[in-house]
Amino acid sequence: MTTTLNLNGQPVAINAEPDTPLLWVLRGELQMNGTKFGCGMALCGACTVHLNGEPVRACITPLSAVGNAQVTTIEGLQGPEATALRTAWTAVDAAQCGYCQSGQLMSACALLKKTPQPTDADIDAAMSGNACRCGTYPRIRAAIHQAARGPQG
């Protein structure tokens, strides 16, 4: 079945069944491998993408649930929050192995768009669905705070 996705600001035609997880469409059909497969049960957040700006787990989101929503992946993540987060991520050396980082950045960006000056509690709540096997949570939190402070950091 041919479906058109609004992906990273562009219409993209794909051939997949409606019950195909969005993650498989992104990685298998479109070869967009920035979104990672982690647990396959929406527990780790490695597959986090945005649907109309809201973070969702692509591993459990069927293609039929996407509809006309704007899908944003790590490859299409843009805007001042994304730029500030990428800069801060590097400045505080937030990534260790890096596997979870695309999902972490997607959740962090959604947080900053809704809550430009998050508290530690805001960050913990927003990031609670993103697991990091390396345990870089303190550096991720520091990067989010730094990004929230802006370029002067």
Side-chain angles (χ1 to χ4, degrees):
M1 176 176 178
T2 300
T3 302
T4 300
L5 287 178
N6 295 315
L7 178 64
N8 296 331
Q10 299 292 319
V12 178
I14 53 123
N15 188 15
E17 295 300 317
D19 61 346
T20 305
L22 178 59
L23 180 62
W24 299 146
V25 171
L26 296 171
R27 292 183 60 85
E29 294 286 324
L30 301 172
Q31 306 301 308
M32 298 185 71
N33 296 320
T35 304
K36 303 298 184 198
F37 173 73
C39 65
M41 298 182 292
L43 300 174
C44 73
C47 65
T48 303
V49 297
H50 293 174
L51 284 186
N52 290 335
E54 294 294 323
V56 299
R57 307 302 185 235
C59 70
I60 63 160
T61 302
L63 187 57
S64 62
V66 175
N68 293 324
Q70 175 62 49
V71 179
T72 305
T73 66
I74 192 69
E75 291 90 346
L77 193 64
Q78 298 178 8
E81 296 88 0
T83 300
L85 283 166
R86 287 184 177 113
T87 300
W89 234 252
T90 301
V92 304
D93 200 17
Q96 191 163 331
C97 83
Y99 195 80
C100 68
Q101 296 303 300
S102 61
Q104 300 277 2
L105 283 165
M106 296 302 290
S107 291
C109 193
L111 168 65
L112 290 183
K113 285 185 179 189
K114 283 187 174 179
T115 309
Q117 297 297 319
T119 64
D120 283 349
D122 294 332
I123 294 170
D124 291 348
M127 304 303 291
S128 66
N130 290 85
C132 174
R133 294 181 205 170
C134 303
T136 61
Y137 301 110
R139 289 187 286 181
I140 290 170
R141 182 189 288 165
I144 294 170
H145 279 301
Q146 183 172 322
R149 288 190 296 269
Q152 300 85 2

